[in-house]
Amino acid sequence: MTERALSFGRVAQAYERCRPGYPDELYDLISGYADAPIRTALEIGAGTGKATRLLARHGVAVTATEPDPAMLAELRRQVPDTVTAVQATLEEVTPGPSYDLVLAAASLHWTQPDGRWSRIAGLLRPGGVFAAFGGAMRLADPTVEEAVEAARAPFLASDDISTQDGEDGMRWPGTELRARPELGDVVQHEIPRRFSTSAEGYIGYLTTVSAYLALPDPRPALAAIRRVLPARVEFVADITVHLARACAPRA
């Protein structure tokens, strides 16, 4: 768990306010893939509970893990009493009951690569579902995007998380999942989303992005970006979803 992964706590309320939640279409996609009703779920890096609430609305008993104490406190304020909230990383979760679903909403890249997939598979019942999903909010207007990149350049070369995507269109973590014997039936889906917000709303979102949180002082970078934004900002926030199924142990 890197220092950057634990940087969100100081902006926990902004994270809750400025980041969008997840649509019912996502739950329908996951439950339609499952081979049985989803009754229990373990969430990795639940943040302030954006995905947690989606599952809870559909009657799933969620154990939501979150390593950052400030984010965990905000999560507890936001989710219903039916959710069990635990301060832990994936690496600290003790194997116990097997879950119908293990999920990571924009958090899997913060887990340790060594042993990641065996830990996840060990938390699932045979045939249980692993779901990873997320996606950056990207400016829809290329002209605005170019202006923002130029304004950001003196402070940050990029604000993306680097991942290893495949040449055949399969994106990470699907590229890793396909190679794991513990997990099979890997599929990738895209859920399109478009949003509009004020320039201030978009800057609010950027205050919750780890690349800016890692700067000694993000305010000059954010001020430079704000100066080139129009009053209203259109952006793309498509959700990339990866699903896989836990294979039964071989005899």
Side-chain angles (χ1 to χ4, degrees):
M1 180 62 61
T2 66
E3 182 179 347
R4 184 168 166 180
L6 294 172
S7 65
F8 298 101
R10 64 181 185 268
V11 294
Q13 292 183 357
Y15 195 103
E16 171 60 27
R17 184 175 63 253
C18 298
R19 293 212 177 196
Y22 293 100
D24 285 332
E25 182 181 355
L26 174 60
Y27 178 80
D28 294 341
L29 185 64
I30 296 170
S31 61
Y33 173 88
D35 64 359
I38 298 173
R39 296 187 174 90
T40 61
L42 176 80
E43 185 174 2
I44 302 164
T48 64
K50 300 285 187 178
T52 320
R53 278 166 275 178
L54 172 65
L55 294 172
R57 286 201 307 270
H58 287 272
V60 180
V62 185
T63 298
T65 66
E66 169 54 47
D68 189 297
M71 292 288 276
L72 185 68
E74 185 65 25
L75 181 149
R76 286 174 169 153
R77 282 191 286 269
Q78 299 296 334
V79 300
D81 294 339
T82 55
V83 171
T84 300
V86 179
Q87 184 173 347
T89 64
L90 169 63
E91 296 74 29
E92 293 167 339
V93 174
T94 302
S98 295
Y99 295 91
D100 298 323
L101 172 68
V102 172
L103 69 145
S107 63
L108 190 69
H109 51 280
W110 299 125
T111 63
Q112 296 296 326
D114 290 344
R116 173 192 287 146
W117 301 117
S118 59
R119 288 189 186 95
I120 289 171
L123 294 165
L124 285 166
R125 63 166 176 81
V129 175
F130 171 67
F133 47 89
M137 292 167 56
R138 306 196 182 280
L139 294 162
D141 187 328
T143 302
V144 176
E145 184 176 29
E146 289 177 9
V148 167
E149 288 176 353
R152 186 187 65 215
F155 309 96
L156 279 173
S158 172
D159 56 11
D160 286 340
I161 297 291
S162 177
T163 58
Q164 295 295 318
D165 297 335
E167 296 180 356
D168 60 353
M170 178 64 76
R171 302 179 65 183
W172 186 89
T175 47
E176 287 188 22
L177 280 167
R178 291 188 300 189
R180 300 304 308 186
E182 313 98 316
L183 296 154
D185 298 336
V186 179
V187 297
Q188 175 176 287
H189 296 276
E190 295 284 339
I191 299 176
R193 293 192 302 178
R194 301 292 187 274
F195 291 103
S196 173
T197 187
S198 66
E200 288 72 19
Y202 184 71
I203 293 296
Y205 161 71
L206 292 183
T207 67
T208 73
V209 173
S210 62
Y212 296 92
L213 292 171
L215 292 172
D217 182 358
R219 289 175 295 182
L222 295 171
I225 292 170
R226 174 62 185 91
R227 285 192 290 270
V228 302
L229 291 175
R232 297 292 299 177
V233 178
E234 304 287 334
F235 59 90
V236 178
D238 295 349
I239 306 170
T240 302
V241 185
H242 290 97
L243 300 170
R245 208 180 311 278
C247 301
R250 295 179 180 177

